[in-house]
Amino acid sequence: MTILMGHPVVQNPSFLPRAFLDAMRDAMPADDDFDAFIAACQRPLRRSLRVNTLKISVEHFLARVAPYGWKLTPVPWCAEGFWIERDDEETLPLGSTAEHLSGLFYIQEASSMLPVSALFADDNAPLRVMDMAAAPGSKTTQIAARMSNQGAILANEYSASRVKVLHANISRCGISNVALTHFDGRVFGAALPEAFDAILLDAPCSGEGVVRKDPDALRNWSLESNDDIAATQRELIDSAFHALRPGGVLVYSTCTLNRQENQQVCHWLLKRYPNAIEIAPLGGLFDGAERVLTQEGFLHVFPQVFDCEGFFVARLRKTATVTPLPVPRYKIGNFPFTPLRSREQANVKQAAAQVGLRWDKHMHLWQRDKELWLFPGQIEPLIGKVRFSRIGIRLAEQFNKGYRWQHEAAVALAQANDTAAWPLSTLEAQEWFRGRDIYPQQLPEYDNVIVTWQGAVLGLAKKVGNRLKNSYPRELVRDGKLFADTLNPYKK
């Protein structure tokens, strides 16, 4: 056992620089227990998940996993969130479970559920939302679930390497209303002025709140680096504010704890636009919010209060138009898609319905060469103003003899109770996730079917001879254990 400033801590403790601890004393409310803060920083982080209500209700999810023996404790600020304790983590990682692979839940730290809860507080119902720093997708997918896949979300990620991960998580969760961009977030205020009803800026930060997950997170910490990061955050929040329409809501959040990157960034924006912005207090967001409420009405969550990661959340409302930023000069390039004509749309929609793929009027068909895509209608006014990495979902590839329907379309659009759905046994579902063809005792009536397992859509299969040909994407194929013991077909 080692000693840190007179306090016994666990082996392999989080690295906590003395200057950091001094800064935390200043940032923390005087009546908070500083010893409890240090102890919390040294404890392993509790795992948590969020039920994906686009695919399953909370009630049905709890009933479904009840036989597994998982202990699920509700997260106070998110009705779909739960802390989870389980005995079989070593033999079956949570991310490898069949329920996770089929998009029924998202592994998400409890504190990170706070910003989206704040975005939709007080019955806020935005139609067009921007997630300015979106990867890996926990908050984007949470926003999509709150919007019931309606409207549109522009999910931006500055890091090119993380855009692919962002799309993979969006696809796995069955989301159809997202458009992806890859920009420095500072461009949006000028490029898309007053274009969004709500914006989430979960800003890049020093990450002081994540030491329970990453004990070395503060190895390179310094007061100077905090100031440098805060300068970038001010530019990002200014851009977000310009991209927000009057009456819209901006939520600013970080997973750090110092005031420079949190309260002071918000105060800077309030001072910059004193007649066009107001604080929307968060004291009523959930029972117990008053424990972490600042004088201004922000939430400043230290890890010992709710036994979670440290987090900061502010909700701001734009009350008036401000002087626009100069229009940026950059090349967008030719947009390679064209909308389908009405007759062609009707033909595609009829053919898709025969294999169980259906969508409503807020999704529109566009074409690029032989590819057919579904775009959320709310994003279309932004086409030509910024360059998109991808929009909506790829529905199909068109051939002379018909269509090759895409996996992401099945996950987002199909329903397990459709007449074209084909339920798999647990053994068959195991084979499906391994990328193998299925040889059912009885073949389906249709040539193309939506395969399901226990009410969850897994993907598309084509009847070929006496088998169902597996179209599960190769990059998603998994080996090893995938099912909890109560459902493991190989358990003896």
Side-chain angles (χ1 to χ4, degrees), residues 3 58 67 77 129 135 154 160-161 191 211 213 221 246 259 263 297 356 491:
I3 303 295
V58 172
W77 47 84
V129 180
L154 188 152
S161 62
V211 291
K213 183 168 57 180
W221 183 93
R259 293 181 183 273
Q263 287 94 327
K491 184 182 179 184

Side-chain angles (χ1 to χ4, degrees), residues 138-209:
S138 59
K139 298 174 186 66
T140 303
T141 55
Q142 187 180 357
I143 293 169
R146 290 296 300 263
M147 296 175 72
S148 300
N149 252 344
Q150 300 295 303
I153 305 165
L154 188 152
N156 179 67
E157 176 52 43
Y158 179 56
S159 170
S161 62
R162 303 182 79 199
V163 173
K164 186 176 181 180
V165 175
L166 173 60
H167 172 254
N169 282 322
I170 288 169
S171 178
R172 179 177 60 85
C173 291
I175 292 167
S176 60
N177 69 337
V178 169
L180 300 180
T181 55
H182 165 47
F183 286 107
D184 184 321
R186 288 172 281 201
V187 310
F188 289 110
L192 299 174
E194 298 187 353
F196 297 93
D197 304 312
I199 295 177
L200 170 60
L201 172 55
D202 187 47
C205 66
S206 58
E208 296 163 347

Side-chain angles (χ1 to χ4, degrees), residues 208-271:
E208 296 163 347
V210 304
V211 291
R212 297 180 63 178
K213 183 168 57 180
D214 179 6
D216 294 323
L218 301 181
R219 285 287 174 188
N220 298 316
W221 183 93
S222 70
L223 290 171
E224 293 76 18
S225 66
N226 288 358
D227 291 336
D228 290 341
I229 293 169
T232 299
Q233 292 164 339
R234 289 192 293 270
E235 293 176 342
L236 287 169
I237 199 171
D238 190 46
S239 175
F241 185 70
H242 278 86
L244 185 68
R245 68 164 177 80
V249 170
L250 166 62
V251 168
Y252 174 80
S253 62
T254 74
C255 59
T256 202
L257 297 170
N258 67 78
R259 293 181 183 273
Q260 298 100 297
E261 298 178 58
N262 293 325
Q263 287 94 327
Q264 290 179 21
V265 170
C266 296
H267 290 160
W268 175 86
L269 190 71
L270 289 159
K271 185 177 180 179

